Amino acid sequence: MVNKMKVVKFGGSSVANAEQISKIIEIVTADADRRIVVVSAPGKRSSDDTKVTDLLIALAHQVLGGADYEQALKDVVGRYAEIQVDLELSAEVVATIEADLRDRIENRGANELQFMDTMKASGEDNNAKVIAEAFTKAGHPAIYMNPGEAGMLLSDEFGNAEVLPESFEKLALLKDTDKIIIFPGFFGCTKAGDVATFPRGGSDITGAILAAAVKAEVYENFTDVDSVCAMDPRVIDNPPAIDCMTYREMRELAYAGFGVFHDEAIIPAVQHQIPICIKNTNNPSAPGTMVVPKRDPEHGSVVGISSADGFCAVYIDKYMMNREVGFGRRLLQILEDEEISYEHTPSGIDNMSVILRSAEMGSKEASVLERIRTELCPDNIQIEHGLSMIMVVGEGMHYTPGMAANATGAFREAGVNLEMINQGASEISMMFAVKDVDRVKAVQALGKAFFG
Ligand code: ASP
């Protein structure tokens, strides 16, 4: 039995039509270790196209609203029919998909959320069946794997389900299969036997769970970009590519511009220390970006710079704050009571600030400030909106003098006023707050300073 294996996930654009599916057959069969293949539902074939998942949601709404849903059903079936014709698969494939959708509709229960999940899940489920058939027809025997039967047990929070810990043991058995496994992403099964889906984009989660369960040598996540960029391409032209970064660096860079996948999606892979490789289905020979538990960074190097708008800072001053035991805890308790999460808490001897997303504060702002005034009796309290956070990240920054000077020098040259600086406790990041209007200018200046 072969024990080395790679779990490979293909997103919607990689399985959107026959041409893309032919590419993934080539990619998978080029490497004998690629044995578990997670697939999304067919995604967009062009920028103005509609994903099959969205067609399915529209269909489910028609059904629930009691409307005539025949056209909506045809729209979904049509996407698979096009793939079937182009891949020259048997016409029976499409008839089976149509019958499956009608069955899901006719046998729905009273729980609308559960019905919605059953319909959404059919996108990946039917695509996995089609793709398994396409592999086999191309001379590479592959089997479709039903997630529920394989042991992908999920909580019953429909549309937002989470994997149950007992799933991993059963899913680990998949490593003993000698054929290529085509595993539909995005859904699993509750203990009661109902189909439940992860949040949107959840095929990434399926891939990460499987990679963790079978202790894959790598989790390859195929998408439509060659690699993750060190900076947001909307802010800077042709940003450098990231060859390798650690999980910590990826998290520190989680602000805008790094949207290849949602970092929460890969938690299972991170917890089990499985390296992740982001690769391009349309250019598989490009090395992609590795995300690893540890790496040996070049001294003084920066891996990436990310930024996002829409933050606010609450500044609080109180004479002798440092002697007031519990001040910080009580301040953060107020936020906790109001269910507000925060991002950073830079502080001085007699002052503390909390940086958070303005949207988190929303309509709670007046009551939060009032509670701080009455419960903490500060000398002064202010809130400033319209701030941007900029993160400069790199394991190589650790123990390197002059990194902050480089950054602040860049700001000075660009004429950007710094509202706040915070060096992450981990010493692998520096955070700068600037006014929203200065963000692009500031990031461009930092790009020049660190990447030339
Ligand atoms: N098809 C699902 C979605 O569009 C899940 C995925 O593609 O990851 O959200």
Side-chain angles (χ1 to χ4, degrees):
M1 195 65 30
V2 233
N3 272 321
K4 237 168 105 189
M5 73 155 45
K6 294 178 178 169
V7 170
V8 200
K9 182 252 162 179
F10 292 96
S13 63
S14 303
V15 287
N17 57 22
E19 192 190 340
Q20 293 300 87
I21 293 173
S22 301
K23 285 184 196 166
I24 80 163
I25 296 176
E26 240 174 76
I27 292 170
V28 171
T29 53
D31 182 342
D33 293 342
R34 291 181 174 140
R35 288 189 291 128
I36 298 185
V37 182
V38 177
V39 294
S40 285
K44 293 183 178 195
R45 295 159 294 185
S46 60
S47 56
D48 54 0
D49 198 10
T50 309
K51 288 172 153 202
V52 162
T53 309
D54 291 311
L55 294 177
L56 285 161
I57 292 171
L59 167 61
H61 281 305
Q62 304 267 30
V63 172
L64 290 173
D68 177 2
Y69 56 78
E70 282 306 316
Q71 186 55 47
L73 188 117
K74 260 197 196 136
D75 291 344
V76 176
V77 176
R79 286 294 303 269
Y80 293 103
E82 187 191 293
I83 294 174
Q84 173 259 319
V85 170
D86 293 348
L87 287 177
E88 296 172 12
L89 303 177
S90 79
E92 213 182 295
V93 170
V94 178
T96 312
I97 291 174
E98 183 171 342
D100 170 69
L101 287 169
R102 291 196 187 278
D103 185 57
R104 289 174 198 250
I105 293 170
E106 277 149 29
N107 294 315
R108 66 186 184 277
N111 185 337
E112 295 193 353
L113 287 177
Q114 202 269 311
F115 170 62
M116 192 52 101
D117 271 18
T118 306
M119 294 303 286
K120 281 191 286 178
S122 75
E124 314 345 72
D125 204 28
N126 285 318
N127 211 25
K129 289 177 186 163
V130 169
I131 291 172
E133 188 133 344
F135 267 81
T136 306
K137 179 160 190 292
H140 308 286
I143 47 171
Y144 154 82
M145 184 63 63
N146 178 283
E149 284 165 22
M152 183 68 82
L153 273 181
L154 307 191
S155 63
D156 56 8
E157 298 147 280
F158 297 111
N160 195 25
E162 283 184 30
V163 66
L164 299 180
E166 53 265 49
S167 299
F168 290 88
E169 211 181 312
K170 179 136 188 243
L171 291 170
L173 303 177
L174 293 179
K175 69 171 176 295
D176 297 330
T177 316
D178 48 9
K179 277 195 187 137
I180 296 169
I181 293 174
I182 311 295
F183 200 106
F186 191 36
F187 74 97
C189 171
T190 66
K191 280 189 175 160
D194 294 324
V195 166
T197 69
F198 294 120
R200 290 296 303 269
S203 298
D204 282 341
I205 309 181
T206 305
I209 292 168
L210 292 177
V214 301
K215 300 193 173 49
E217 110 196 55
V218 62
Y219 169 30
E220 292 182 319
N221 198 304
F222 277 84
T223 168
D224 50 12
V225 292
D226 276 356
S227 40
V228 181
C229 297
M231 294 177 72
D232 187 343
R234 290 167 302 186
V235 174
I236 199 157
D237 289 336
N238 300 319
I242 299 180
D243 305 327
C244 186
M245 63 178 152
T246 61
Y247 300 143
R248 297 203 294 175
E249 288 174 323
M250 185 195 66
R251 279 291 299 146
E252 299 274 4
L253 286 170
Y255 290 140
F258 287 81
V260 174
F261 52 48
H262 206 289
D263 42 10
E264 273 174 38
I266 51 157
I267 291 172
V270 173
Q271 282 170 339
H272 291 78
Q273 309 268 291
I274 309 291
I276 300 162
C277 186
I278 296 149
K279 282 178 80 72
N280 190 352
T281 303
N282 305 315
N283 185 17
S285 58
T289 297
M290 288 295 298
V291 190
V292 295
K294 270 202 188 111
R295 70 184 183 102
D296 210 1
E298 192 188 317
H299 196 57
S301 61
V302 162
V303 76
I305 300 170
S306 70
S307 66
D309 294 336
F311 289 83
C312 64
V314 182
Y315 301 97
I316 299 147
D317 284 310
K318 188 173 186 184
Y319 193 65
M320 301 294 278
M321 183 191 285
N322 68 327
R323 297 282 190 87
E324 195 174 325
V325 175
F327 188 93
R329 184 193 53 75
R330 282 184 286 138
L331 172 62
L332 297 179
Q333 184 69 52
I334 295 173
L335 298 180
E336 183 178 340
D337 293 346
E338 304 290 334
E339 297 191 356
I340 294 172
S341 70
Y342 68 92
E343 307 280 325
H344 305 273
T345 51
S347 62
I349 189 162
D350 280 346
N351 51 66
M352 198 168 157
S353 13
V354 183
I355 299 179
L356 57 150
R357 292 175 195 270
S358 292
E360 276 284 315
M361 195 65 124
S363 59
K364 299 170 186 166
E365 180 172 324
S367 63
V368 167
L369 298 187
E370 189 47 33
R371 277 193 66 184
I372 296 174
R373 266 186 211 105
T374 51
E375 294 172 35
L376 300 173
C377 307
D379 298 334
N380 182 26
I381 175 168
Q382 271 177 40
I383 181 161
E384 185 179 355
H385 287 280
L387 293 179
S388 287
M389 294 299 123
I390 302 175
M391 301 295 293
V392 178
V393 180
E395 299 269 359
M397 285 164 43
H398 209 44
Y399 301 124
T400 312
M403 301 297 291
N406 236 353
T408 50
F411 287 132
R412 186 190 54 222
E413 261 172 50
V416 171
N417 184 46
L418 265 176
E419 301 287 316
M420 210 178 288
I421 307 184
N422 193 16
Q423 164 114 47
S426 61
E427 266 206 57
I428 69 156
S429 68
M430 291 182 290
M431 179 219 85
F432 302 96
V434 299
K435 291 214 159 45
D436 281 346
V437 286
D438 286 332
R439 180 176 68 94
V440 170
K441 201 162 55 164
V443 173
Q444 287 169 343
L446 287 172
K448 219 165 128 200
F450 289 106
F451 298 120

